[in-house]
Amino acid sequence: IIDTPISEMGFTGIGVGAALYGLRPIIEFMTFNFSMQAIDQIINSAGKIHYMSAGDLTCPIVFRGLNGAAFGVAAQHSQCFAAWYTHCPGLKVVAPWNAEDARGLLKASIRDDNPVVFLENEPTYGVSFEVSDAVLDKDFVLPLGKAKIEREGTHCTIVTFSKMVGTSLEAAKELEAEGISVEVINLRTLRPMDTPTIFKSVKKTGRLVTVEEGWPTCGIGAEVIAAVTESSAFDYMDAPAVRVTAVDV
């Protein structure tokens, strides 16, 4: 563990260089809002090097840190960067919700030969989650690119990630009391996105709601809905899809 000076461009560049020379660095941002200082290194160096070297070079690096709204940190420190990074080819983007996700997905991210943006959430750091013995096993790893159905339902599908999985599960529990059965999908990985799981669920329920902390314009929810619209799952929709997002201000 190397405690660096607070120069995001500097320590990110060192990490990318180390990855290109065979190490597997984990770069931690105090918050992903500060990753803006190093976005050139993340996108133009780490994200593009495999393509620009015709596949000769890999950059196995993990960028991890806090993402989304926290407590009392103002507007410029409360952004969700999921859509920003998911937009860019060359990066894998992971957004864990609970302890199981964090453990299994971080190990998979470190072992992956691609640069991975690992979006954690500060308010969930203080939340306790039940975990099985299997999760605590030293060999436990979750595959990247595979979503998890956290709750099965028949009337509506909620597609969500990170902290909003918990919020969606709470909403599903309230709706159950009104006789509405909601299926909740925890995306886990935003790029590559597990669209087959989404399509299968929408075909079953006929309705789709996306939930995220990010803004609506060009967001993750917009991508999910576009993917459904362009697939055979659209023919099974009984109502227009709905996005639940941060306010567009």
Side-chain angles (χ1 to χ4, degrees), residues 37-99:
Q37 303 291 331
I39 197 163
D40 179 59
Q41 305 280 5
I42 298 169
I43 306 260
N44 286 328
S45 296
K48 296 185 179 180
I49 193 66
H50 188 62
Y51 178 83
M52 294 180 69
S53 67
D56 288 342
L57 297 176
T58 58
C59 189
I61 188 171
V62 177
F63 305 102
R64 60 166 288 262
L66 306 176
N67 180 66
F71 302 115
V73 291
Q76 78 272 38
H77 290 163
S78 296
Q79 301 163 94
C80 175
F81 289 91
W84 292 54
Y85 287 115
T86 302
H87 175 68
C88 301
L91 302 175
K92 291 188 176 182
V93 183
V94 178
W97 167 54
N98 58 12

Coordinates of all heavy atoms in Angstrom, one line a residue, residues 37-99:
Q37 N -9.8 14.6 -12.4 CA -8.4 15.1 -12.5 C -7.5 14.2 -13.3 O -6.5 14.6 -13.8 CB -7.8 15.4 -11.1 CG -8.6 16.3 -10.2 CD -8.6 17.7 -10.7 OE1 -7.6 18.1 -11.4 NE2 -9.6 18.5 -10.4
A38 N -8.0 12.9 -13.4 CA -7.2 11.9 -14.1 C -7.9 11.2 -15.2 O -7.5 10.1 -15.7 CB -6.8 10.8 -13.0
I39 N -8.9 11.8 -15.7 CA -9.8 11.1 -16.7 C -9.0 10.9 -18.0 O -9.3 9.9 -18.7 CB -11.1 11.9 -17.0 CG1 -12.1 11.0 -17.7 CG2 -10.8 13.2 -17.8 CD1 -13.5 11.5 -17.6
D40 N -8.0 11.7 -18.3 CA -7.2 11.4 -19.5 C -6.4 10.1 -19.4 O -6.3 9.3 -20.3 CB -6.2 12.6 -19.8 CG -5.4 12.4 -21.0 OD1 -5.9 12.2 -22.1 OD2 -4.1 12.3 -20.8
Q41 N -5.9 9.9 -18.2 CA -5.1 8.7 -18.0 C -6.1 7.4 -18.0 O -5.7 6.4 -18.6 CB -4.5 8.7 -16.6 CG -3.6 9.9 -16.3 CD -2.2 9.7 -17.0 OE1 -1.9 8.8 -17.7 NE2 -1.3 10.7 -16.7
I42 N -7.3 7.6 -17.5 CA -8.2 6.4 -17.4 C -8.7 6.1 -18.8 O -8.7 4.9 -19.2 CB -9.4 6.8 -16.5 CG1 -8.9 7.0 -15.0 CG2 -10.4 5.6 -16.5 CD1 -9.9 7.6 -14.1
I43 N -9.1 7.1 -19.6 CA -9.8 6.8 -20.8 C -8.8 6.7 -22.0 O -8.7 5.7 -22.7 CB -10.7 8.0 -21.2 CG1 -11.7 8.2 -20.1 CG2 -11.4 7.8 -22.6 CD1 -13.0 7.7 -20.1
N44 N -7.9 7.7 -22.1 CA -7.0 7.7 -23.3 C -5.8 6.8 -23.1 O -5.2 6.4 -24.1 CB -6.5 9.2 -23.5 CG -7.6 10.0 -24.2 OD1 -8.5 9.5 -24.9 ND2 -7.7 11.3 -23.8
S45 N -5.4 6.6 -21.9 CA -4.2 5.7 -21.7 C -4.6 4.2 -21.4 O -4.4 3.3 -22.2 CB -3.3 6.2 -20.6 OG -2.8 7.5 -20.9
A46 N -5.3 4.1 -20.3 CA -5.7 2.7 -19.8 C -6.8 2.1 -20.8 O -6.6 1.0 -21.2 CB -6.2 2.7 -18.4
G47 N -7.8 2.9 -21.1 CA -8.9 2.3 -21.8 C -8.6 2.0 -23.3 O -9.2 1.1 -23.9
K48 N -7.7 2.8 -23.9 CA -7.5 2.6 -25.4 C -6.3 1.8 -25.8 O -6.1 1.5 -27.0 CB -7.5 4.0 -26.0 CG -8.8 4.8 -25.9 CD -8.7 6.1 -26.6 CE -10.1 6.8 -26.5 NZ -10.1 8.1 -27.2
I49 N -5.4 1.5 -24.8 CA -4.1 1.0 -25.2 C -4.2 -0.4 -25.8 O -3.4 -0.7 -26.7 CB -3.1 0.9 -24.0 CG1 -1.7 0.7 -24.4 CG2 -3.6 -0.1 -23.0 CD1 -1.1 1.8 -25.2
H50 N -5.2 -1.2 -25.4 CA -5.3 -2.6 -26.0 C -5.7 -2.5 -27.5 O -5.1 -3.1 -28.3 CB -6.4 -3.4 -25.2 CG -6.4 -4.8 -25.6 ND1 -5.4 -5.7 -25.5 CD2 -7.5 -5.5 -26.2 CE1 -5.8 -6.9 -25.9 NE2 -7.0 -6.8 -26.4
Y51 N -6.6 -1.6 -27.8 CA -7.0 -1.4 -29.2 C -5.9 -0.7 -30.0 O -5.6 -1.1 -31.1 CB -8.3 -0.5 -29.2 CG -8.7 -0.1 -30.6 CD1 -9.5 -1.0 -31.3 CD2 -8.4 1.1 -31.2 CE1 -10.0 -0.7 -32.6 CE2 -8.8 1.4 -32.5 CZ -9.6 0.5 -33.2 OH -10.0 0.8 -34.5
M52 N -5.2 0.3 -29.4 CA -4.2 1.1 -30.2 C -3.0 0.3 -30.4 O -2.2 0.6 -31.3 CB -4.0 2.4 -29.5 CG -5.2 3.3 -29.5 SD -4.9 4.9 -28.7 CE -3.7 5.7 -29.9
S53 N -2.8 -0.8 -29.6 CA -1.6 -1.6 -29.8 C -1.9 -2.9 -30.6 O -1.1 -3.8 -30.7 CB -1.0 -2.0 -28.5 OG -1.9 -2.9 -27.8
A54 N -3.1 -2.9 -31.2 CA -3.6 -4.1 -32.0 C -3.6 -5.3 -31.2 O -3.3 -6.4 -31.6 CB -2.7 -4.3 -33.2
G55 N -3.9 -5.2 -29.9 CA -4.1 -6.3 -29.0 C -2.8 -6.8 -28.3 O -2.8 -7.7 -27.5
D56 N -1.7 -6.1 -28.6 CA -0.4 -6.5 -28.0 C -0.2 -6.1 -26.5 O 0.4 -6.8 -25.8 CB 0.8 -5.9 -28.8 CG 1.0 -6.5 -30.2 OD1 0.4 -7.6 -30.4 OD2 1.6 -5.8 -31.0
L57 N -0.9 -5.1 -26.1 CA -0.7 -4.6 -24.7 C -2.0 -4.7 -24.0 O -3.1 -4.5 -24.5 CB -0.3 -3.1 -24.7 CG 1.1 -2.8 -25.3 CD1 1.4 -1.3 -25.3 CD2 2.2 -3.6 -24.5
T58 N -1.9 -5.1 -22.7 CA -3.1 -5.0 -21.8 C -2.8 -4.1 -20.6 O -1.6 -3.9 -20.3 CB -3.5 -6.4 -21.3 OG1 -2.3 -7.0 -20.6 CG2 -3.9 -7.4 -22.4
C59 N -3.8 -3.6 -20.0 CA -3.7 -2.7 -18.9 C -4.5 -3.2 -17.7 O -5.6 -2.7 -17.5 CB -4.0 -1.3 -19.3 SG -3.6 -0.1 -18.0
P60 N -4.1 -4.2 -17.0 CA -4.9 -4.8 -15.9 C -4.8 -3.9 -14.6 O -4.0 -4.1 -13.8 CB -4.2 -6.2 -15.7 CG -2.8 -6.0 -16.0 CD -2.8 -5.0 -17.1
I61 N -5.7 -3.0 -14.5 CA -5.7 -2.0 -13.4 C -7.2 -1.9 -12.9 O -8.1 -2.0 -13.7 CB -5.1 -0.7 -13.9 CG1 -4.9 0.3 -12.7 CG2 -6.0 0.0 -15.0 CD1 -4.1 1.5 -13.0
V62 N -7.3 -1.6 -11.7 CA -8.6 -1.3 -11.1 C -8.6 0.1 -10.5 O -7.8 0.4 -9.7 CB -9.0 -2.3 -10.0 CG1 -10.3 -2.0 -9.3 CG2 -9.0 -3.8 -10.5
F63 N -9.6 0.9 -10.9 CA -9.9 2.2 -10.3 C -11.1 2.1 -9.4 O -12.2 1.9 -9.9 CB -10.1 3.2 -11.4 CG -9.1 3.3 -12.5 CD1 -9.3 2.7 -13.7 CD2 -7.9 4.0 -12.3 CE1 -8.3 2.8 -14.7 CE2 -6.9 4.1 -13.3 CZ -7.1 3.5 -14.5
R64 N -10.8 2.2 -8.1 CA -12.0 2.0 -7.2 C -12.1 3.3 -6.3 O -11.2 4.1 -6.1 CB -11.8 0.8 -6.3 CG -10.5 0.8 -5.4 CD -10.7 -0.3 -4.3 NE -11.6 0.1 -3.3 CZ -11.3 0.7 -2.2 NH1 -10.0 1.0 -1.9 NH2 -12.2 1.1 -1.3
G65 N -13.3 3.4 -5.8 CA -13.6 4.6 -4.9 C -15.1 4.9 -4.8 O -15.9 4.1 -5.3
L66 N -15.4 6.0 -4.2 CA -16.8 6.3 -3.9 C -17.5 7.0 -5.1 O -16.9 7.8 -5.7 CB -16.8 7.3 -2.7 CG -16.1 6.8 -1.4 CD1 -16.1 7.9 -0.3 CD2 -16.7 5.5 -0.9
N67 N -18.7 6.6 -5.3 CA -19.5 7.1 -6.4 C -20.9 7.5 -5.9 O -21.4 6.8 -5.1 CB -19.5 6.1 -7.5 CG -20.3 6.5 -8.7 OD1 -20.0 7.5 -9.4 ND2 -21.5 5.9 -9.0
G68 N -21.5 8.5 -6.5 CA -22.8 8.8 -6.2 C -22.9 9.8 -5.0 O -21.9 10.3 -4.5
A69 N -24.1 10.1 -4.6 CA -24.3 11.0 -3.5 C -23.9 10.5 -2.2 O -24.1 9.3 -1.9 CB -25.8 11.4 -3.4
A70 N -23.2 11.3 -1.4 CA -22.8 11.0 0.0 C -23.5 11.9 1.0 O -24.6 12.3 0.7 CB -21.3 11.1 0.1
F71 N -22.8 12.2 2.1 CA -23.5 13.0 3.1 C -22.8 14.4 3.2 O -21.6 14.5 3.5 CB -23.4 12.3 4.4 CG -24.0 10.9 4.5 CD1 -23.3 9.8 4.7 CD2 -25.4 10.8 4.3 CE1 -23.8 8.5 4.7 CE2 -26.0 9.5 4.3 CZ -25.2 8.4 4.5
G72 N -23.5 15.4 2.9 CA -23.0 16.8 3.1 C -21.8 17.1 2.3 O -20.9 17.9 2.8
V73 N -21.7 16.7 1.1 CA -20.5 17.0 0.3 C -20.7 17.9 -0.9 O -19.9 18.0 -1.8 CB -19.8 15.7 -0.2 CG1 -19.2 14.9 1.0 CG2 -20.7 14.8 -0.9
A74 N -21.9 18.4 -1.0 CA -22.3 19.4 -2.0 C -22.4 18.8 -3.4 O -22.1 17.7 -3.7 CB -21.3 20.6 -2.0
A75 N -22.9 19.6 -4.3 CA -23.3 19.1 -5.7 C -22.1 18.6 -6.5 O -22.2 17.6 -7.2 CB -24.0 20.2 -6.4
Q76 N -21.0 19.3 -6.3 CA -19.8 18.9 -7.2 C -19.1 17.6 -6.7 O -18.2 17.1 -7.3 CB -18.8 20.0 -7.3 CG -17.9 20.3 -6.1 CD -18.5 21.2 -5.1 OE1 -19.7 21.2 -4.9 NE2 -17.7 22.1 -4.5
H77 N -19.6 17.1 -5.5 CA -19.0 15.9 -5.0 C -20.1 14.8 -4.8 O -19.9 13.8 -4.1 CB -18.4 16.1 -3.6 CG -17.1 16.9 -3.7 ND1 -16.5 17.5 -2.6 CD2 -16.3 17.2 -4.7 CE1 -15.5 18.2 -3.0 NE2 -15.3 18.0 -4.3
S78 N -21.2 14.9 -5.5 CA -22.4 14.0 -5.3 C -22.8 13.4 -6.6 O -23.9 12.9 -6.7 CB -23.6 14.8 -4.7 OG -23.2 15.2 -3.4
Q79 N -21.9 13.4 -7.6 CA -22.3 12.9 -8.9 C -22.2 11.4 -9.0 O -21.3 10.8 -8.3 CB -21.4 13.5 -10.0 CG -21.5 15.0 -10.0 CD -20.4 15.7 -10.8 OE1 -20.5 15.9 -11.9 NE2 -19.3 15.9 -10.1
C80 N -23.0 10.8 -9.9 CA -22.8 9.4 -10.2 C -22.1 9.3 -11.6 O -22.6 9.9 -12.6 CB -24.2 8.7 -10.3 SG -24.1 7.0 -10.9
F81 N -21.0 8.6 -11.6 CA -20.2 8.5 -12.8 C -20.4 7.2 -13.6 O -19.6 6.9 -14.5 CB -18.7 8.7 -12.5 CG -18.4 10.1 -12.0 CD1 -18.4 10.4 -10.7 CD2 -18.0 11.1 -12.9 CE1 -18.1 11.7 -10.2 CE2 -17.8 12.4 -12.5 CZ -17.8 12.7 -11.2
A82 N -21.4 6.5 -13.3 CA -21.7 5.2 -13.9 C -21.9 5.4 -15.4 O -21.2 4.7 -16.2 CB -22.9 4.6 -13.3
A83 N -22.7 6.4 -15.9 CA -22.9 6.6 -17.3 C -21.7 7.1 -18.0 O -21.4 6.7 -19.1 CB -24.1 7.5 -17.5
W84 N -20.9 8.0 -17.3 CA -19.7 8.6 -17.9 C -18.7 7.4 -18.3 O -18.3 7.4 -19.5 CB -18.9 9.4 -16.9 CG -19.6 10.7 -16.4 CD1 -20.8 10.8 -15.9 CD2 -19.0 12.0 -16.4 NE1 -21.1 12.1 -15.5 CE2 -20.0 12.8 -15.8 CE3 -17.8 12.5 -16.8 CZ2 -19.7 14.2 -15.7 CZ3 -17.5 13.8 -16.6 CH2 -18.5 14.7 -16.0
Y85 N -18.4 6.5 -17.4 CA -17.4 5.5 -17.7 C -18.0 4.4 -18.5 O -17.3 3.8 -19.3 CB -16.8 5.0 -16.4 CG -15.8 6.0 -15.8 CD1 -16.1 6.6 -14.6 CD2 -14.7 6.4 -16.5 CE1 -15.2 7.6 -14.0 CE2 -13.8 7.4 -16.0 CZ -14.1 7.9 -14.7 OH -13.2 8.9 -14.2
T86 N -19.3 4.1 -18.3 CA -19.9 3.0 -19.1 C -19.9 3.3 -20.6 O -19.9 2.5 -21.5 CB -21.3 2.7 -18.6 OG1 -21.2 2.3 -17.2 CG2 -21.9 1.5 -19.4
H87 N -19.9 4.6 -20.9 CA -20.0 5.1 -22.3 C -18.7 4.7 -23.1 O -18.7 4.6 -24.3 CB -20.2 6.6 -22.3 CG -20.1 7.2 -23.6 ND1 -21.1 7.0 -24.6 CD2 -19.2 8.1 -24.2 CE1 -20.8 7.7 -25.7 NE2 -19.7 8.4 -25.5
C88 N -17.6 4.5 -22.4 CA -16.3 4.5 -23.0 C -15.9 3.0 -23.3 O -15.7 2.2 -22.4 CB -15.2 5.2 -22.2 SG -15.6 6.9 -21.9
P89 N -15.6 2.6 -24.6 CA -15.1 1.3 -24.9 C -13.7 1.1 -24.3 O -13.0 2.1 -24.1 CB -15.0 1.3 -26.4 CG -15.9 2.4 -26.9 CD -15.8 3.4 -25.8
G90 N -13.4 -0.1 -23.9 CA -12.1 -0.4 -23.4 C -12.1 -0.5 -21.8 O -11.2 -1.1 -21.3
L91 N -13.1 0.1 -21.2 CA -13.2 0.0 -19.8 C -14.3 -1.0 -19.4 O -15.4 -1.1 -20.1 CB -13.6 1.3 -19.1 CG -12.6 2.5 -19.4 CD1 -13.2 3.8 -18.8 CD2 -11.3 2.2 -18.8
K92 N -14.1 -1.8 -18.3 CA -15.2 -2.5 -17.7 C -15.7 -1.7 -16.5 O -14.8 -1.0 -15.8 CB -14.8 -3.9 -17.3 CG -14.5 -4.8 -18.5 CD -14.3 -6.3 -18.1 CE -14.1 -7.1 -19.3 NZ -13.9 -8.6 -19.0
V93 N -17.0 -1.7 -16.2 CA -17.5 -0.9 -15.2 C -18.3 -1.7 -14.2 O -19.3 -2.4 -14.7 CB -18.4 0.3 -15.7 CG1 -18.9 1.2 -14.5 CG2 -17.6 1.1 -16.7
V94 N -18.0 -1.7 -12.9 CA -18.6 -2.6 -11.9 C -19.2 -1.7 -10.8 O -18.6 -0.7 -10.4 CB -17.6 -3.5 -11.3 CG1 -18.2 -4.4 -10.3 CG2 -17.0 -4.4 -12.4
A95 N -20.4 -2.0 -10.4 CA -21.1 -1.3 -9.3 C -21.7 -2.2 -8.3 O -22.8 -2.6 -8.4 CB -22.2 -0.4 -9.9
P96 N -20.9 -2.6 -7.2 CA -21.4 -3.5 -6.2 C -22.5 -2.9 -5.4 O -22.5 -1.6 -5.2 CB -20.2 -3.8 -5.4 CG -19.3 -2.6 -5.5 CD -19.6 -2.1 -6.9
W97 N -23.4 -3.7 -4.8 CA -24.4 -3.2 -3.9 C -24.1 -3.6 -2.5 O -23.9 -2.8 -1.6 CB -25.8 -3.7 -4.3 CG -26.8 -3.5 -3.2 CD1 -27.1 -2.4 -2.5 CD2 -27.6 -4.5 -2.5 NE1 -28.0 -2.6 -1.5 CE2 -28.4 -3.9 -1.5 CE3 -27.8 -5.9 -2.7 CZ2 -29.3 -4.6 -0.7 CZ3 -28.7 -6.6 -2.0 CH2 -29.4 -5.9 -1.0
N98 N -23.9 -4.9 -2.2 CA -23.8 -5.4 -0.9 C -22.4 -6.0 -0.7 O -21.5 -5.9 -1.5 CB -24.8 -6.5 -0.5 CG -24.9 -7.6 -1.5 OD1 -24.0 -7.8 -2.3 ND2 -25.9 -8.4 -1.4
A99 N -22.2 -6.6 0.5 CA -20.8 -7.2 0.8 C -20.5 -8.3 -0.1 O -19.3 -8.5 -0.5 CB -20.8 -7.7 2.3

